[in-house]
Amino acid sequence: MSLLKVNNLTKNFGGLAAVSNVSLHLEKNELVGLIGPNGAGKTTLFNLLTGVYEPSEGDVLFEKEGKEERLNGIKPYKIANLGLGRTFQNIRLFKELSVLDNVLIAMTGKEKVGVLTGILRLPKYYQMEKKMENQARDLLAIFDLLDKEGEKAKNLSYGEQRRLEIVRALATDPSILFLDEPAAGMNPQETAELTELIKKIQREFDLTILLIEHDMSLVMDVCERIYVLEYGQLIAEGEPEEIKTNKRVIEAYLGGELTC
Ligand SMILES: Nc1ncnc2c1ncn2[C@@H]1O[C@H](COP(=O)(O)OP(=O)(O)OP(=O)(O)O)[C@@H](O)[C@H]1O
C-alpha cells in the first residue's frame, strides 16, 4: 500500500481545470519533486492534498496504521493531525512572537494534558511543557536557529525565516512533509545549505517529502523521483536523469527555468 495515493484528481475554478485528472503516489521515505512552469497547478495540488481545497473529482488516500483514510473534504487541521505537514510559498510565521514560541505553537496539537492538569498547573503540566521545549530546541539546533530562539521571528533574515517555516512544519511530527518552494528567494549559498538539510531531515525523521521547487539544481540533487505538471496535467514522471532529457518536459520549459 502506498503511503499516499492520488487517483484522478481534478480541481476546477470556473472554466479552468487548475489540476486535471492527476494520479500519483508517494511511497514511505521517498523524496519526490513536483515541478512545472508557472501556473501549472503545483500549489493547487498541494492545497488539494492538505485540505485547503476540496477536489472537484478524484480521491486522495492516505495510509495510516495499515488503514486507508480518504482525505477528501477533511479540514486542514485534521489532515495535519493525521500526519501531513506543509510549508507555504509565502512565509507564514507569527512575526511578533519569538522563534521558540513559533515552534511551540505548532506543537500544541500534539501534546495533550487534561484541562484540570492545565488549570491547576499540576507537575504533569510542567513536565509536558519542558518536554515540548526540549523537542523544539532540538529541531531549532538542526536548522542552526538555536541561538535565535529568543528573537522575534520578524528579526530573522529571510533564509532563517524560511528555515523556521520548515521547523514549524516538522514540529507537527508529520509522516509526509509538503514543501512549497522552500528555497524561493534564497541565495546560492543558502540554497546549498538547505539542500543538505532536506536530505538530512528525510533520513533522520524517517520522512516522506513532496517538494515543489523552481531551483532545478536543488530538485535534481535531492529528489529520487519527479512529477512534472503542465496546464494542470501530469506530463512526465521519472528519475531526475530521465526528466532532464524528457522531450515533453524540455518543450514545456522552453525559454523557461529548466537549467540544471
Ligand atoms: N483560487 C483560485 N481561483 C481561481 N484560479 C486559481 C486559483 N488558484 C489558482 N488558480 C489558477 O490555477 C492555475 C494553477 O495555479 P497554481 O498556483 O496552482 O500554479 P503553480 O504551478 O503553483 O504556479 P507557480 O509556480 O507560479 O506558483 C493558474 O492558472 C492560477 O491562476
Side-chain angles (χ1 to χ4, degrees):
M1 204 185 297
S2 299
L3 186 58
L4 190 84
K5 200 150 184 260
V6 171
N7 292 333
N8 306 105
L9 206 61
T10 294
K11 179 67 186 172
N12 299 316
F13 293 116
L16 174 85
V19 168
S20 179
N21 202 27
V22 167
S23 297
L24 56 82
H25 61 97
L26 296 179
E27 304 303 320
K28 201 165 174 350
N29 287 125
E30 269 194 314
L31 209 166
V32 177
L34 178 62
I35 66 170
N38 288 322
K42 304 179 296 293
T43 298
T44 303
L45 182 57
F46 263 32
N47 286 336
L48 289 167
L49 302 182
T50 53
V52 177
Y53 295 146
E54 215 174 313
S56 307
E57 285 172 50
D59 281 322
V60 182
L61 303 166
F62 174 59
E63 189 261 281
K64 179 140 179 129
E65 288 151 14
K67 281 200 299 199
E68 214 165 44
E69 300 250 5
R70 191 164 174 267
L71 301 185
N72 302 41
I74 296 185
K75 294 261 177 287
Y77 77 93
K78 284 196 176 155
I79 291 186
N81 281 343
L82 279 171
L84 290 90
R86 77 172 287 181
T87 64
F88 291 85
Q89 210 168 334
N90 48 344
I91 292 175
R92 296 187 179 194
L93 299 170
F94 295 100
K95 304 237 174 213
E96 294 296 330
L97 293 185
S98 74
V99 166
L100 183 63
D101 283 342
N102 264 279
V103 185
L104 289 172
I105 285 174
M107 282 176 161
T108 45
K110 285 283 157 194
E111 295 288 342
K112 301 236 180 324
V113 288
V115 176
L116 265 188
T117 308
I119 293 173
L120 300 176
R121 297 285 196 265
L122 298 176
K124 200 171 161 206
Y125 172 84
Y126 290 105
Q127 282 162 14
M128 185 213 63
E129 204 175 50
K130 193 87 219 131
K131 185 174 152 208
M132 280 169 56
E133 281 182 13
N134 287 341
Q135 286 172 346
R137 290 199 172 98
D138 286 347
L139 285 174
L140 288 172
I142 293 172
F143 283 77
D144 203 16
L145 289 169
L146 191 53
D147 59 340
K148 301 278 166 74
E149 68 166 273
E151 277 288 346
K152 283 187 177 177
K154 69 174 182 187
N155 293 335
L156 297 184
S157 72
Y158 182 78
E160 288 169 340
Q161 291 193 18
R162 283 232 159 258
R163 296 209 303 274
L164 182 55
E165 285 257 297
I166 302 177
V167 172
R168 278 174 48 77
L170 281 175
T172 64
D173 194 20
S175 49
I176 303 184
L177 183 60
F178 298 104
L179 297 175
D180 196 346
E181 293 197 43
M186 285 188 169
N187 65 37
Q189 159 95 22
E190 288 172 328
T191 303
E193 285 165 10
L194 182 73
T195 307
E196 291 312 309
L197 271 175
I198 290 173
K199 288 183 195 168
K200 183 174 159 140
I201 58 170
Q202 186 218 8
R203 271 197 319 267
E204 291 191 6
F205 291 86
D206 205 21
L207 269 178
T208 302
I209 299 178
L210 183 63
L211 171 90
I212 296 177
E213 187 49 64
H214 283 290
D215 187 313
M216 286 303 147
S217 57
L218 190 157
V219 172
M220 298 297 169
D221 185 353
V222 301
C223 294
E224 296 152 55
R225 261 188 327 121
I226 297 172
Y227 287 104
V228 189
L229 275 180
E230 187 191 30
Y231 298 120
Q233 299 187 342
L234 268 187
I235 58 164
E237 182 220 332
E239 294 180 8
E241 285 311 312
E242 298 169 61
I243 294 298
K244 272 187 211 171
T245 52
N246 182 302
K247 214 167 145 249
R248 185 84 173 78
V249 177
I250 293 168
E251 275 167 19
Y253 274 99
L254 218 55
E257 316 99 303
L258 193 66
T259 40
C260 310

